[in-house]
Amino acid sequence: MELECLGASGEVGRSAFLLKTDKKIMLDYGIKLFDESGTAKFPEQTNVNPDFAVLSHAHLDHSGCIPALYTSGKIKWYGALPTKDIVEVLWKDSMKIMGDGLPYRLGHFRKALDYFTPLEYKKTTTMGETDLTLYDAGHISGSALVELEYKNKKIVYTGDFKCEETHMHQGAKYIEDVDTLIIESTYANREHPKRKEVEQKVMEQIYETIDKGGNMLFPSFALGRTQELIALVRHYDKDIPVYVDGMGREITNIYLKHPRFIKNANKLRDAVNSVRMVEGIPDKKDATREPSVIISTAGMMNGGPILNYLFHSNQNSKLIFTGYCVEETNGWYLQNKGFIMKDEEELHVDLPFEYMDLSAHAGRTDILNFIKHANPQKIVVVHGDNTQGFADELNESFGYDAVAPKAGEKIQV
Ligand SMILES: [Zn+2]
Ligand SMILES: [Zn+2]
């Protein structure tokens, strides 16, 4: 079989892999929101005509280009049930932001939604002579490990995955006896600190800030992190005022609409019912008028209501970043240079900030354990900043046959 690597090869972003069995199967088809120059980047080819597509999960770096497959074709694309509802929100938002910059138009977006085919976890369907099965990847609602079997060879594409339990998910389970493993390596060179300890520290910071009369600001991704933070805060404290603003509100409703895809939907529902969803200006004013927790998009602070809170919270307030900020985004500027960019102007930010790791990706040990259980003949390392380094390490220190393809490369699997 041939695997054509159209993105997420030596980089994080624009995941896109075309697998050729008896059919051409597109595994993810994403965009990179910000490359080095701060503009969006698409897969190496934006005019592919596969026979099928499979989406590991809804994040735009995996899903953002799926509508471009409908500029000419009409094919089935598979994913777990919540994925369709989530991509609808995310695609709409990216069309609003990027408009003509995208390689598709509104009609293709609508057509793509019509051709979505939901697939239950652990249920197998066929694409020509290739069997397809999805397993819970523990990353976000509907995220999947993608297992493909063709002529008695098993290929697993991990998409993004997390093994450790979180407030939202149980964590991904290992898959055994894999022939070819295509694995993400975002945190292959780092361990995450122990989750419970990070959570304790987050709560300490919240109490300290609220005691001083400030707002605890969480710039937060709408998808995954917002829901995790709501559940986390309410797990430890039922009473402190929590406000949720931005696109995270809409995504939270989708999480609750698909309760089977989260660990404890009742707990999330109770938590959501006890926080204030910011609907308009009066809510925004209330949020900063009292000591509170404010969870708001955007996670990397490139737009979204978080910027408003940044300049309307009192000086006893504080920011906590819980996720990765790409270079040249406002989150990155603030953490590295102390300012943010607004309308090409540098705006100095006085509020103190901290970074606390609540990542939804597997850390180094979990990645290595996942590989050990899969025991693959061949490993394709993708979706990381140093895929070549990790592939070299897998070859030299662990005795595997690993490669780190470059974007545009075709490899035999
Ligand atoms: Zn993801
Ligand atoms: Zn990703």
Side-chain angles (χ1 to χ4, degrees), residues 57 107 183 200 230 263:
H57 67 289
I183 189 165
Q200 301 285 354
I230 294 171
K263 195 174 76 180

Side-chain angles (χ1 to χ4, degrees), residues 12 15 57 59 61-62 139 160 361 383:
V12 177
S15 287
H57 67 289
H59 275 142
D61 64 315
H62 298 255
H139 173 65
D160 294 348
H361 291 266
H383 197 294

Side-chain angles (χ1 to χ4, degrees), residues 324-369:
Y324 177 71
C325 288
V326 173
E327 237 174 90
E328 313 271 322
T329 57
N330 273 333
W332 182 86
Y333 276 127
L334 178 59
Q335 291 177 69
N336 290 282
K337 312 207 179 222
F339 62 79
I340 64 155
M341 299 293 290
K342 207 173 173 206
D343 305 324
E344 311 210 346
E345 226 182 293
E346 287 178 14
L347 294 179
H348 185 78
V349 177
D350 283 323
L351 295 187
F353 62 84
E354 283 201 42
Y355 171 77
M356 297 200 172
D357 181 349
L358 290 175
S359 170
H361 291 266
R364 179 179 165 83
T365 301
D366 284 343
I367 290 176
L368 289 172
N369 281 335

Side-chain angles (χ1 to χ4, degrees), residues 364-380:
R364 179 179 165 83
T365 301
D366 284 343
I367 290 176
L368 289 172
N369 281 335
F370 194 89
I371 292 172
K372 196 167 99 188
H373 283 266
N375 194 23
Q377 310 279 318
K378 190 171 189 102
I379 304 172
V380 184

Side-chain angles (χ1 to χ4, degrees), residues 20 79 135 146 181 183 236 303 314 394:
K20 290 168 196 158
Y135 298 92
V146 179
L181 178 64
I183 189 165
Y236 292 99
N314 66 43
L394 290 173

Side-chain angles (χ1 to χ4, degrees), residues 261-276:
F261 291 84
I262 47 180
K263 195 174 76 180
N264 190 338
N266 286 336
K267 204 170 151 187
L268 180 63
R269 190 170 290 113
D270 288 347
V272 168
N273 286 338
S274 73
V275 304
R276 203 145 136 205

Side-chain angles (χ1 to χ4, degrees), residues 61-180:
D61 64 315
H62 298 255
S63 74
C65 244
I66 294 273
L69 298 175
Y70 293 83
T71 50
S72 52
K74 35 182 181 179
I75 56 164
K76 273 187 179 176
W77 64 282
Y78 293 97
L81 191 60
T83 305
K84 181 188 175 186
D85 290 339
I86 301 172
V87 293
E88 188 171 356
V89 175
L90 300 189
W91 291 348
K92 244 184 221 157
D93 189 58
S94 58
M95 288 191 78
K96 210 167 76 190
I97 296 166
M98 295 201 275
D100 289 347
L102 287 164
Y104 64 84
R105 299 286 165 265
L106 187 64
H108 310 129
F109 159 97
R110 293 216 179 99
K111 200 164 149 197
L113 290 174
D114 288 343
Y115 282 90
F116 172 73
T117 313
L119 185 61
E120 289 289 325
Y121 291 143
K122 300 184 193 169
K123 291 265 176 343
T124 301
T125 191
T126 52
M127 302 179 288
E129 287 171 40
T130 310
D131 285 344
L132 165 68
T133 315
L134 304 178
Y135 298 92
D136 188 354
H139 173 65
I140 58 165
S141 173
S143 64
L145 304 168
V146 179
E147 183 188 272
L148 301 142
E149 271 192 273
Y150 178 66
K151 297 202 164 152
N152 288 323
K153 293 280 179 208
K154 195 197 277 185
I155 297 176
V156 168
Y157 167 56
T158 63
D160 294 348
F161 73 106
K162 186 169 188 72
C163 301
E164 199 183 357
E165 191 175 345
T166 61
H167 288 280
M168 284 301 107
H169 305 286
Q170 293 288 0
K173 302 277 179 291
Y174 301 130
I175 300 181
E176 318 268 334
D177 301 319
V178 177
D179 292 288
T180 298

